[in-house]
Amino acid sequence: MTVHDALFGCLGLISAVSAVCAVTTRQLVHAALWLTLCMTTLSGCYLVLGAELVALVQLLVYVGAVVVLVLFAVMLTRAPIGKSADHDVPMAGRMVALVISAATGGLLFAAFAAAFGSQQVGLDGGTNANLAANLFGRFAWPFEVLSLVLLAALVGALAMIGTRKDGGSK
């Protein structure tokens, strides 16, 4: 076992535990912070694997944009930050969700095992230069359109905050 293997294992374990905590916590802000830790450690996993560009994109897009957007949505909609009785799920509902998610995971595992079995899949060994050429060449316009859609959503949320319920502005 090398240092890279140990570091990858530690980062993977932290990522898995923080993902479970993000899903099981009852406080929305805590879930966003656990999600931040999960995405950051996942970026560290990519870095250990030698995919520096993917690690950077993971940090910029998911940690830097998506989590911040979730936190802004929580702040702008004035959602309850602490525990809320409206969002509490009884234990029976949690058990049903656990059974359904375990069944879905088992079905996916069985489908992948049946499809690929013990085949060895060869990788073409793409480089960061090839990935960057595709990402910023072929997919530059869809990326820019997506950024405009997200900007329009943010401006719309701010416009909705600026008006009162009776139709007047603040």
Side-chain angles (χ1 to χ4, degrees), residues 27-55:
Q27 297 187 11
L28 191 57
V29 175
H30 290 178
L33 293 175
W34 282 116
L35 183 65
T36 303
L37 179 64
C38 177
M39 295 300 169
T40 304
T41 54
L42 192 60
S43 175
C45 287
Y46 291 141
L47 196 61
V48 169
L49 290 174
E52 297 89 7
L53 182 65
V54 178

mmCIF file with all atom_site columns, all heavy atoms in Angstrom, residues 27-55:
data_model
loop_
_atom_site.group_PDB
_atom_site.id
_atom_site.type_symbol
_atom_site.label_atom_id
_atom_site.label_alt_id
_atom_site.label_comp_id
_atom_site.label_asym_id
_atom_site.label_entity_id
_atom_site.label_seq_id
_atom_site.pdbx_PDB_ins_code
_atom_site.Cartn_x
_atom_site.Cartn_y
_atom_site.Cartn_z
_atom_site.occupancy
_atom_site.B_iso_or_equiv
_atom_site.pdbx_formal_charge
_atom_site.auth_seq_id
_atom_site.auth_comp_id
_atom_site.auth_asym_id
_atom_site.auth_atom_id
_atom_site.pdbx_PDB_model_num
ATOM 1   N N   . GLN A 1 27 ? -31.003 19.749 9.472   1.00 0.00 ? 27 GLN A N   1
ATOM 2   C CA  . GLN A 1 27 ? -30.847 21.190 9.318   1.00 0.00 ? 27 GLN A CA  1
ATOM 3   C C   . GLN A 1 27 ? -30.269 21.489 7.946   1.00 0.00 ? 27 GLN A C   1
ATOM 4   O O   . GLN A 1 27 ? -29.240 20.930 7.550   1.00 0.00 ? 27 GLN A O   1
ATOM 5   C CB  . GLN A 1 27 ? -29.958 21.741 10.416  1.00 0.00 ? 27 GLN A CB  1
ATOM 6   C CG  . GLN A 1 27 ? -30.576 21.548 11.782  1.00 0.00 ? 27 GLN A CG  1
ATOM 7   C CD  . GLN A 1 27 ? -29.800 22.234 12.871  1.00 0.00 ? 27 GLN A CD  1
ATOM 8   O OE1 . GLN A 1 27 ? -28.901 23.028 12.601  1.00 0.00 ? 27 GLN A OE1 1
ATOM 9   N NE2 . GLN A 1 27 ? -30.141 21.951 14.115  1.00 0.00 ? 27 GLN A NE2 1
ATOM 10  N N   . LEU A 1 28 ? -30.919 22.379 7.223   1.00 0.00 ? 28 LEU A N   1
ATOM 11  C CA  . LEU A 1 28 ? -30.584 22.640 5.828   1.00 0.00 ? 28 LEU A CA  1
ATOM 12  C C   . LEU A 1 28 ? -29.196 23.250 5.660   1.00 0.00 ? 28 LEU A C   1
ATOM 13  O O   . LEU A 1 28 ? -28.450 22.866 4.769   1.00 0.00 ? 28 LEU A O   1
ATOM 14  C CB  . LEU A 1 28 ? -31.654 23.557 5.213   1.00 0.00 ? 28 LEU A CB  1
ATOM 15  C CG  . LEU A 1 28 ? -31.627 23.735 3.725   1.00 0.00 ? 28 LEU A CG  1
ATOM 16  C CD1 . LEU A 1 28 ? -31.744 22.386 3.027   1.00 0.00 ? 28 LEU A CD1 1
ATOM 17  C CD2 . LEU A 1 28 ? -32.750 24.651 3.288   1.00 0.00 ? 28 LEU A CD2 1
ATOM 18  N N   . VAL A 1 29 ? -28.837 24.177 6.523   1.00 0.00 ? 29 VAL A N   1
ATOM 19  C CA  . VAL A 1 29 ? -27.516 24.798 6.415   1.00 0.00 ? 29 VAL A CA  1
ATOM 20  C C   . VAL A 1 29 ? -26.419 23.785 6.724   1.00 0.00 ? 29 VAL A C   1
ATOM 21  O O   . VAL A 1 29 ? -25.383 23.750 6.059   1.00 0.00 ? 29 VAL A O   1
ATOM 22  C CB  . VAL A 1 29 ? -27.431 26.029 7.341   1.00 0.00 ? 29 VAL A CB  1
ATOM 23  C CG1 . VAL A 1 29 ? -26.038 26.617 7.336   1.00 0.00 ? 29 VAL A CG1 1
ATOM 24  C CG2 . VAL A 1 29 ? -28.432 27.079 6.911   1.00 0.00 ? 29 VAL A CG2 1
ATOM 25  N N   . HIS A 1 30 ? -26.658 22.925 7.706   1.00 0.00 ? 30 HIS A N   1
ATOM 26  C CA  . HIS A 1 30 ? -25.681 21.881 8.006   1.00 0.00 ? 30 HIS A CA  1
ATOM 27  C C   . HIS A 1 30 ? -25.535 20.927 6.833   1.00 0.00 ? 30 HIS A C   1
ATOM 28  O O   . HIS A 1 30 ? -24.427 20.467 6.526   1.00 0.00 ? 30 HIS A O   1
ATOM 29  C CB  . HIS A 1 30 ? -26.082 21.114 9.259   1.00 0.00 ? 30 HIS A CB  1
ATOM 30  C CG  . HIS A 1 30 ? -25.962 21.914 10.519  1.00 0.00 ? 30 HIS A CG  1
ATOM 31  N ND1 . HIS A 1 30 ? -26.308 21.408 11.749  1.00 0.00 ? 30 HIS A ND1 1
ATOM 32  C CD2 . HIS A 1 30 ? -25.534 23.178 10.742  1.00 0.00 ? 30 HIS A CD2 1
ATOM 33  C CE1 . HIS A 1 30 ? -26.090 22.324 12.674  1.00 0.00 ? 30 HIS A CE1 1
ATOM 34  N NE2 . HIS A 1 30 ? -25.625 23.409 12.079  1.00 0.00 ? 30 HIS A NE2 1
ATOM 35  N N   . ALA A 1 31 ? -26.638 20.625 6.156   1.00 0.00 ? 31 ALA A N   1
ATOM 36  C CA  . ALA A 1 31 ? -26.570 19.757 4.977   1.00 0.00 ? 31 ALA A CA  1
ATOM 37  C C   . ALA A 1 31 ? -25.720 20.403 3.887   1.00 0.00 ? 31 ALA A C   1
ATOM 38  O O   . ALA A 1 31 ? -24.923 19.721 3.228   1.00 0.00 ? 31 ALA A O   1
ATOM 39  C CB  . ALA A 1 31 ? -27.972 19.462 4.456   1.00 0.00 ? 31 ALA A CB  1
ATOM 40  N N   . ALA A 1 32 ? -25.858 21.702 3.693   1.00 0.00 ? 32 ALA A N   1
ATOM 41  C CA  . ALA A 1 32 ? -25.046 22.391 2.690   1.00 0.00 ? 32 ALA A CA  1
ATOM 42  C C   . ALA A 1 32 ? -23.568 22.379 3.075   1.00 0.00 ? 32 ALA A C   1
ATOM 43  O O   . ALA A 1 32 ? -22.697 22.219 2.211   1.00 0.00 ? 32 ALA A O   1
ATOM 44  C CB  . ALA A 1 32 ? -25.535 23.825 2.514   1.00 0.00 ? 32 ALA A CB  1
ATOM 45  N N   . LEU A 1 33 ? -23.281 22.511 4.357   1.00 0.00 ? 33 LEU A N   1
ATOM 46  C CA  . LEU A 1 33 ? -21.879 22.478 4.788   1.00 0.00 ? 33 LEU A CA  1
ATOM 47  C C   . LEU A 1 33 ? -21.291 21.072 4.670   1.00 0.00 ? 33 LEU A C   1
ATOM 48  O O   . LEU A 1 33 ? -20.127 20.911 4.284   1.00 0.00 ? 33 LEU A O   1
ATOM 49  C CB  . LEU A 1 33 ? -21.762 23.008 6.218   1.00 0.00 ? 33 LEU A CB  1
ATOM 50  C CG  . LEU A 1 33 ? -22.094 24.497 6.374   1.00 0.00 ? 33 LEU A CG  1
ATOM 51  C CD1 . LEU A 1 33 ? -22.075 24.889 7.842   1.00 0.00 ? 33 LEU A CD1 1
ATOM 52  C CD2 . LEU A 1 33 ? -21.155 25.355 5.558   1.00 0.00 ? 33 LEU A CD2 1
ATOM 53  N N   . TRP A 1 34 ? -22.075 20.041 4.989   1.00 0.00 ? 34 TRP A N   1
ATOM 54  C CA  . TRP A 1 34 ? -21.607 18.673 4.792   1.00 0.00 ? 34 TRP A CA  1
ATOM 55  C C   . TRP A 1 34 ? -21.386 18.405 3.310   1.00 0.00 ? 34 TRP A C   1
ATOM 56  O O   . TRP A 1 34 ? -20.437 17.711 2.929   1.00 0.00 ? 34 TRP A O   1
ATOM 57  C CB  . TRP A 1 34 ? -22.601 17.666 5.363   1.00 0.00 ? 34 TRP A CB  1
ATOM 58  C CG  . TRP A 1 34 ? -22.542 17.509 6.850   1.00 0.00 ? 34 TRP A CG  1
ATOM 59  C CD1 . TRP A 1 34 ? -23.520 17.804 7.735   1.00 0.00 ? 34 TRP A CD1 1
ATOM 60  C CD2 . TRP A 1 34 ? -21.441 17.011 7.622   1.00 0.00 ? 34 TRP A CD2 1
ATOM 61  N NE1 . TRP A 1 34 ? -23.091 17.530 9.020   1.00 0.00 ? 34 TRP A NE1 1
ATOM 62  C CE2 . TRP A 1 34 ? -21.829 17.037 8.977   1.00 0.00 ? 34 TRP A CE2 1
ATOM 63  C CE3 . TRP A 1 34 ? -20.171 16.552 7.304   1.00 0.00 ? 34 TRP A CE3 1
ATOM 64  C CZ2 . TRP A 1 34 ? -20.998 16.612 10.010  1.00 0.00 ? 34 TRP A CZ2 1
ATOM 65  C CZ3 . TRP A 1 34 ? -19.339 16.128 8.340   1.00 0.00 ? 34 TRP A CZ3 1
ATOM 66  C CH2 . TRP A 1 34 ? -19.748 16.170 9.662   1.00 0.00 ? 34 TRP A CH2 1
ATOM 67  N N   . LEU A 1 35 ? -22.261 18.952 2.463   1.00 0.00 ? 35 LEU A N   1
ATOM 68  C CA  . LEU A 1 35 ? -22.089 18.790 1.017   1.00 0.00 ? 35 LEU A CA  1
ATOM 69  C C   . LEU A 1 35 ? -20.809 19.470 0.547   1.00 0.00 ? 35 LEU A C   1
ATOM 70  O O   . LEU A 1 35 ? -20.103 18.952 -0.329  1.00 0.00 ? 35 LEU A O   1
ATOM 71  C CB  . LEU A 1 35 ? -23.304 19.362 0.281   1.00 0.00 ? 35 LEU A CB  1
ATOM 72  C CG  . LEU A 1 35 ? -23.313 19.222 -1.226  1.00 0.00 ? 35 LEU A CG  1
ATOM 73  C CD1 . LEU A 1 35 ? -23.378 17.752 -1.627  1.00 0.00 ? 35 LEU A CD1 1
ATOM 74  C CD2 . LEU A 1 35 ? -24.482 19.982 -1.817  1.00 0.00 ? 35 LEU A CD2 1
ATOM 75  N N   . THR A 1 36 ? -20.487 20.615 1.132   1.00 0.00 ? 36 THR A N   1
ATOM 76  C CA  . THR A 1 36 ? -19.237 21.290 0.799   1.00 0.00 ? 36 THR A CA  1
ATOM 77  C C   . THR A 1 36 ? -18.036 20.417 1.138   1.00 0.00 ? 36 THR A C   1
ATOM 78  O O   . THR A 1 36 ? -17.103 20.277 0.335   1.00 0.00 ? 36 THR A O   1
ATOM 79  C CB  . THR A 1 36 ? -19.141 22.629 1.562   1.00 0.00 ? 36 THR A CB  1
ATOM 80  O OG1 . THR A 1 36 ? -20.260 23.428 1.254   1.00 0.00 ? 36 THR A OG1 1
ATOM 81  C CG2 . THR A 1 36 ? -17.864 23.364 1.224   1.00 0.00 ? 36 THR A CG2 1
ATOM 82  N N   . LEU A 1 37 ? -18.050 19.810 2.318   1.00 0.00 ? 37 LEU A N   1
ATOM 83  C CA  . LEU A 1 37 ? -16.954 18.917 2.700   1.00 0.00 ? 37 LEU A CA  1
ATOM 84  C C   . LEU A 1 37 ? -16.874 17.716 1.766   1.00 0.00 ? 37 LEU A C   1
ATOM 85  O O   . LEU A 1 37 ? -15.780 17.315 1.348   1.00 0.00 ? 37 LEU A O   1
ATOM 86  C CB  . LEU A 1 37 ? -17.132 18.455 4.148   1.00 0.00 ? 37 LEU A CB  1
ATOM 87  C CG  . LEU A 1 37 ? -16.063 17.505 4.675   1.00 0.00 ? 37 LEU A CG  1
ATOM 88  C CD1 . LEU A 1 37 ? -14.705 18.195 4.699   1.00 0.00 ? 37 LEU A CD1 1
ATOM 89  C CD2 . LEU A 1 37 ? -16.439 16.992 6.041   1.00 0.00 ? 37 LEU A CD2 1
ATOM 90  N N   . CYS A 1 38 ? -18.017 17.158 1.412   1.00 0.00 ? 38 CYS A N   1
ATOM 91  C CA  . CYS A 1 38 ? -18.038 15.995 0.515   1.00 0.00 ? 38 CYS A CA  1
ATOM 92  C C   . CYS A 1 38 ? -17.432 16.341 -0.841  1.00 0.00 ? 38 CYS A C   1
ATOM 93  O O   . CYS A 1 38 ? -16.597 15.606 -1.378  1.00 0.00 ? 38 CYS A O   1
ATOM 94  C CB  . CYS A 1 38 ? -19.478 15.506 0.354   1.00 0.00 ? 38 CYS A CB  1
ATOM 95  S SG  . CYS A 1 38 ? -19.657 14.132 -0.790  1.00 0.00 ? 38 CYS A SG  1
ATOM 96  N N   . MET A 1 39 ? -17.852 17.459 -1.414  1.00 0.00 ? 39 MET A N   1
ATOM 97  C CA  . MET A 1 39 ? -17.347 17.846 -2.734  1.00 0.00 ? 39 MET A CA  1
ATOM 98  C C   . MET A 1 39 ? -15.873 18.229 -2.695  1.00 0.00 ? 39 MET A C   1
ATOM 99  O O   . MET A 1 39 ? -15.130 17.984 -3.641  1.00 0.00 ? 39 MET A O   1
ATOM 100 C CB  . MET A 1 39 ? -18.177 19.014 -3.295  1.00 0.00 ? 39 MET A CB  1
ATOM 101 C CG  . MET A 1 39 ? -19.607 18.662 -3.574  1.00 0.00 ? 39 MET A CG  1
ATOM 102 S SD  . MET A 1 39 ? -19.708 17.342 -4.784  1.00 0.00 ? 39 MET A SD  1
ATOM 103 C CE  . MET A 1 39 ? -21.406 16.923 -4.668  1.00 0.00 ? 39 MET A CE  1
ATOM 104 N N   . THR A 1 40 ? -15.428 18.813 -1.601  1.00 0.00 ? 40 THR A N   1
ATOM 105 C CA  . THR A 1 40 ? -14.014 19.178 -1.477  1.00 0.00 ? 40 THR A CA  1
ATOM 106 C C   . THR A 1 40 ? -13.140 17.936 -1.376  1.00 0.00 ? 40 THR A C   1
ATOM 107 O O   . THR A 1 40 ? -12.093 17.846 -2.029  1.00 0.00 ? 40 THR A O   1
ATOM 108 C CB  . THR A 1 40 ? -13.813 20.086 -0.253  1.00 0.00 ? 40 THR A CB  1
ATOM 109 O OG1 . THR A 1 40 ? -14.662 21.230 -0.373  1.00 0.00 ? 40 THR A OG1 1
ATOM 110 C CG2 . THR A 1 40 ? -12.376 20.539 -0.157  1.00 0.00 ? 40 THR A CG2 1
ATOM 111 N N   . THR A 1 41 ? -13.547 16.969 -0.567  1.00 0.00 ? 41 THR A N   1
ATOM 112 C CA  . THR A 1 41 ? -12.748 15.749 -0.453  1.00 0.00 ? 41 THR A CA  1
ATOM 113 C C   . THR A 1 41 ? -12.808 14.922 -1.733  1.00 0.00 ? 41 THR A C   1
ATOM 114 O O   . THR A 1 41 ? -11.845 14.249 -2.074  1.00 0.00 ? 41 THR A O   1
ATOM 115 C CB  . THR A 1 41 ? -13.205 14.902 0.739   1.00 0.00 ? 41 THR A CB  1
ATOM 116 O OG1 . THR A 1 41 ? -14.612 14.658 0.646   1.00 0.00 ? 41 THR A OG1 1
ATOM 117 C CG2 . THR A 1 41 ? -12.879 15.589 2.047   1.00 0.00 ? 41 THR A CG2 1
ATOM 118 N N   . LEU A 1 42 ? -13.914 15.003 -2.454  1.00 0.00 ? 42 LEU A N   1
ATOM 119 C CA  . LEU A 1 42 ? -13.992 14.339 -3.752  1.00 0.00 ? 42 LEU A CA  1
ATOM 120 C C   . LEU A 1 42 ? -13.013 14.969 -4.735  1.00 0.00 ? 42 LEU A C   1
ATOM 121 O O   . LEU A 1 42 ? -12.366 14.277 -5.529  1.00 0.00 ? 42 LEU A O   1
ATOM 122 C CB  . LEU A 1 42 ? -15.422 14.406 -4.291  1.00 0.00 ? 42 LEU A CB  1
ATOM 123 C CG  . LEU A 1 42 ? -15.739 13.546 -5.481  1.00 0.00 ? 42 LEU A CG  1
ATOM 124 C CD1 . LEU A 1 42 ? -15.523 12.082 -5.167  1.00 0.00 ? 42 LEU A CD1 1
ATOM 125 C CD2 . LEU A 1 42 ? -17.173 13.777 -5.912  1.00 0.00 ? 42 LEU A CD2 1
ATOM 126 N N   . SER A 1 43 ? -12.867 16.278 -4.653  1.00 0.00 ? 43 SER A N   1
ATOM 127 C CA  . SER A 1 43 ? -11.863 16.959 -5.466  1.00 0.00 ? 43 SER A CA  1
ATOM 128 C C   . SER A 1 43 ? -10.456 16.496 -5.089  1.00 0.00 ? 43 SER A C   1
ATOM 129 O O   . SER A 1 43 ? -9.593  16.329 -5.956  1.00 0.00 ? 43 SER A O   1
ATOM 130 C CB  . SER A 1 43 ? -11.986 18.474 -5.281  1.00 0.00 ? 43 SER A CB  1
ATOM 131 O OG  . SER A 1 43 ? -10.970 19.141 -5.953  1.00 0.00 ? 43 SER A OG  1
ATOM 132 N N   . GLY A 1 44 ? -10.227 16.273 -3.802  1.00 0.00 ? 44 GLY A N   1
ATOM 133 C CA  . GLY A 1 44 ? -8.938  15.729 -3.370  1.00 0.00 ? 44 GLY A CA  1
ATOM 134 C C   . GLY A 1 44 ? -8.696  14.335 -3.924  1.00 0.00 ? 44 GLY A C   1
ATOM 135 O O   . GLY A 1 44 ? -7.569  13.979 -4.280  1.00 0.00 ? 44 GLY A O   1
ATOM 136 N N   . CYS A 1 45 ? -9.759  13.524 -4.008  1.00 0.00 ? 45 CYS A N   1
ATOM 137 C CA  . CYS A 1 45 ? -9.625  12.189 -4.616  1.00 0.00 ? 45 CYS A CA  1
ATOM 138 C C   . CYS A 1 45 ? -9.190  12.297 -6.075  1.00 0.00 ? 45 CYS A C   1
ATOM 139 O O   . CYS A 1 45 ? -8.331  11.542 -6.535  1.00 0.00 ? 45 CYS A O   1
ATOM 140 C CB  . CYS A 1 45 ? -10.943 11.426 -4.514  1.00 0.00 ? 45 CYS A CB  1
ATOM 141 S SG  . CYS A 1 45 ? -11.343 10.851 -2.872  1.00 0.00 ? 45 CYS A SG  1
ATOM 142 N N   . TYR A 1 46 ? -9.806  13.217 -6.804  1.00 0.00 ? 46 TYR A N   1
ATOM 143 C CA  . TYR A 1 46 ? -9.416  13.425 -8.205  1.00 0.00 ? 46 TYR A CA  1
ATOM 144 C C   . TYR A 1 46 ? -7.959  13.863 -8.298  1.00 0.00 ? 46 TYR A C   1
ATOM 145 O O   . TYR A 1 46 ? -7.235  13.455 -9.199  1.00 0.00 ? 46 TYR A O   1
ATOM 146 C CB  . TYR A 1 46 ? -10.302 14.465 -8.883  1.00 0.00 ? 46 TYR A CB  1
ATOM 147 C CG  . TYR A 1 46 ? -11.715 14.025 -9.115  1.00 0.00 ? 46 TYR A CG  1
ATOM 148 C CD1 . TYR A 1 46 ? -12.767 14.909 -8.929  1.00 0.00 ? 46 TYR A CD1 1
ATOM 149 C CD2 . TYR A 1 46 ? -12.021 12.733 -9.536  1.00 0.00 ? 46 TYR A CD2 1
ATOM 150 C CE1 . TYR A 1 46 ? -14.076 14.523 -9.148  1.00 0.00 ? 46 TYR A CE1 1
ATOM 151 C CE2 . TYR A 1 46 ? -13.319 12.337 -9.751  1.00 0.00 ? 46 TYR A CE2 1
ATOM 152 C CZ  . TYR A 1 46 ? -14.335 13.238 -9.561  1.00 0.00 ? 46 TYR A CZ  1
ATOM 153 O OH  . TYR A 1 46 ? -15.629 12.856 -9.783  1.00 0.00 ? 46 TYR A OH  1
ATOM 154 N N   . LEU A 1 47 ? -7.535  14.697 -7.367  1.00 0.00 ? 47 LEU A N   1
ATOM 155 C CA  . LEU A 1 47 ? -6.162  15.182 -7.371  1.00 0.00 ? 47 LEU A CA  1
ATOM 156 C C   . LEU A 1 47 ? -5.180  14.046 -7.110  1.00 0.00 ? 47 LEU A C   1
ATOM 157 O O   . LEU A 1 47 ? -4.132  13.954 -7.763  1.00 0.00 ? 47 LEU A O   1
ATOM 158 C CB  . LEU A 1 47 ? -6.011  16.282 -6.324  1.00 0.00 ? 47 LEU A CB  1
ATOM 159 C CG  . LEU A 1 47 ? -4.790  17.168 -6.417  1.00 0.00 ? 47 LEU A CG  1
ATOM 160 C CD1 . LEU A 1 47 ? -4.776  17.904 -7.740  1.00 0.00 ? 47 LEU A CD1 1
ATOM 161 C CD2 . LEU A 1 47 ? -4.783  18.152 -5.275  1.00 0.00 ? 47 LEU A CD2 1
ATOM 162 N N   . VAL A 1 48 ? -5.518  13.153 -6.183  1.00 0.00 ? 48 VAL A N   1
ATOM 163 C CA  . VAL A 1 48 ? -4.654  12.011 -5.896  1.00 0.00 ? 48 VAL A CA  1
ATOM 164 C C   . VAL A 1 48 ? -4.571  11.091 -7.114  1.00 0.00 ? 48 VAL A C   1
ATOM 165 O O   . VAL A 1 48 ? -3.522  10.508 -7.407  1.00 0.00 ? 48 VAL A O   1
ATOM 166 C CB  . VAL A 1 48 ? -5.166  11.240 -4.661  1.00 0.00 ? 48 VAL A CB  1
ATOM 167 C CG1 . VAL A 1 48 ? -4.458  9.914  -4.492  1.00 0.00 ? 48 VAL A CG1 1
ATOM 168 C CG2 . VAL A 1 48 ? -4.974  12.090 -3.412  1.00 0.00 ? 48 VAL A CG2 1
ATOM 169 N N   . LEU A 1 49 ? -5.667  10.977 -7.859  1.00 0.00 ? 49 LEU A N   1
ATOM 170 C CA  . LEU A 1 49 ? -5.678  10.123 -9.048  1.00 0.00 ? 49 LEU A CA  1
ATOM 171 C C   . LEU A 1 49 ? -4.935  10.733 -10.232 1.00 0.00 ? 49 LEU A C   1
ATOM 172 O O   . LEU A 1 49 ? -4.748  10.067 -11.246 1.00 0.00 ? 49 LEU A O   1
ATOM 173 C CB  . LEU A 1 49 ? -7.121  9.804  -9.451  1.00 0.00 ? 49 LEU A CB  1
ATOM 174 C CG  . LEU A 1 49 ? -7.875  8.883  -8.500  1.00 0.00 ? 49 LEU A CG  1
ATOM 175 C CD1 . LEU A 1 49 ? -9.330  8.767  -8.930  1.00 0.00 ? 49 LEU A CD1 1
ATOM 176 C CD2 . LEU A 1 49 ? -7.225  7.522  -8.451  1.00 0.00 ? 49 LEU A CD2 1
ATOM 177 N N   . GLY A 1 50 ? -4.537  11.996 -10.121 1.00 0.00 ? 50 GLY A N   1
ATOM 178 C CA  . GLY A 1 50 ? -3.771  12.627 -11.178 1.00 0.00 ? 50 GLY A CA  1
ATOM 179 C C   . GLY A 1 50 ? -4.607  13.412 -12.176 1.00 0.00 ? 50 GLY A C   1
ATOM 180 O O   . GLY A 1 50 ? -4.110  13.818 -13.220 1.00 0.00 ? 50 GLY A O   1
ATOM 181 N N   . ALA A 1 51 ? -5.880  13.640 -11.878 1.00 0.00 ? 51 ALA A N   1
ATOM 182 C CA  . ALA A 1 51 ? -6.747  14.414 -12.767 1.00 0.00 ? 51 ALA A CA  1
ATOM 183 C C   . ALA A 1 51 ? -6.874  15.828 -12.203 1.00 0.00 ? 51 ALA A C   1
ATOM 184 O O   . ALA A 1 51 ? -7.878  16.192 -11.586 1.00 0.00 ? 51 ALA A O   1
ATOM 185 C CB  . ALA A 1 51 ? -8.107  13.737 -12.894 1.00 0.00 ? 51 ALA A CB  1
ATOM 186 N N   . GLU A 1 52 ? -5.834  16.621 -12.426 1.00 0.00 ? 52 GLU A N   1
ATOM 187 C CA  . GLU A 1 52 ? -5.777  17.951 -11.839 1.00 0.00 ? 52 GLU A CA  1
ATOM 188 C C   . GLU A 1 52 ? -6.870  18.860 -12.364 1.00 0.00 ? 52 GLU A C   1
ATOM 189 O O   . GLU A 1 52 ? -7.484  19.621 -11.609 1.00 0.00 ? 52 GLU A O   1
ATOM 190 C CB  . GLU A 1 52 ? -4.408  18.600 -12.100 1.00 0.00 ? 52 GLU A CB  1
ATOM 191 C CG  . GLU A 1 52 ? -3.239  17.886 -11.476 1.00 0.00 ? 52 GLU A CG  1
ATOM 192 C CD  . GLU A 1 52 ? -2.660  16.814 -12.386 1.00 0.00 ? 52 GLU A CD  1
ATOM 193 O OE1 . GLU A 1 52 ? -3.093  16.718 -13.554 1.00 0.00 ? 52 GLU A OE1 1
ATOM 194 O OE2 . GLU A 1 52 ? -1.790  16.066 -11.918 1.00 0.00 ? 52 GLU A OE2 1
ATOM 195 N N   . LEU A 1 53 ? -7.149  18.787 -13.668 1.00 0.00 ? 53 LEU A N   1
ATOM 196 C CA  . LEU A 1 53 ? -8.169  19.655 -14.252 1.00 0.00 ? 53 LEU A CA  1
ATOM 197 C C   . LEU A 1 53 ? -9.554  19.312 -13.720 1.00 0.00 ? 53 LEU A C   1
ATOM 198 O O   . LEU A 1 53 ? -10.342 20.201 -13.391 1.00 0.00 ? 53 LEU A O   1
ATOM 199 C CB  . LEU A 1 53 ? -8.146  19.554 -15.782 1.00 0.00 ? 53 LEU A CB  1
ATOM 200 C CG  . LEU A 1 53 ? -9.137  20.451 -16.504 1.00 0.00 ? 53 LEU A CG  1
ATOM 201 C CD1 . LEU A 1 53 ? -8.789  21.906 -16.273 1.00 0.00 ? 53 LEU A CD1 1
ATOM 202 C CD2 . LEU A 1 53 ? -9.175  20.136 -17.971 1.00 0.00 ? 53 LEU A CD2 1
ATOM 203 N N   . VAL A 1 54 ? -9.849  18.030 -13.601 1.00 0.00 ? 54 VAL A N   1
ATOM 204 C CA  . VAL A 1 54 ? -11.148 17.611 -13.074 1.00 0.00 ? 54 VAL A CA  1
ATOM 205 C C   . VAL A 1 54 ? -11.276 18.036 -11.612 1.00 0.00 ? 54 VAL A C   1
ATOM 206 O O   . VAL A 1 54 ? -12.354 18.464 -11.176 1.00 0.00 ? 54 VAL A O   1
ATOM 207 C CB  . VAL A 1 54 ? -11.331 16.088 -13.241 1.00 0.00 ? 54 VAL A CB  1
ATOM 208 C CG1 . VAL A 1 54 ? -12.645 15.634 -12.658 1.00 0.00 ? 54 VAL A CG1 1
ATOM 209 C CG2 . VAL A 1 54 ? -11.245 15.700 -14.702 1.00 0.00 ? 54 VAL A CG2 1
ATOM 210 N N   . ALA A 1 55 ? -10.187 17.964 -10.847 1.00 0.00 ? 55 ALA A N   1
ATOM 211 C CA  . ALA A 1 55 ? -10.216 18.405 -9.454  1.00 0.00 ? 55 ALA A CA  1
ATOM 212 C C   . ALA A 1 55 ? -10.488 19.898 -9.367  1.00 0.00 ? 55 ALA A C   1
ATOM 213 O O   . ALA A 1 55 ? -11.284 20.345 -8.531  1.00 0.00 ? 55 ALA A O   1
ATOM 214 C CB  . ALA A 1 55 ? -8.895  18.065 -8.770  1.00 0.00 ? 55 ALA A CB  1
#
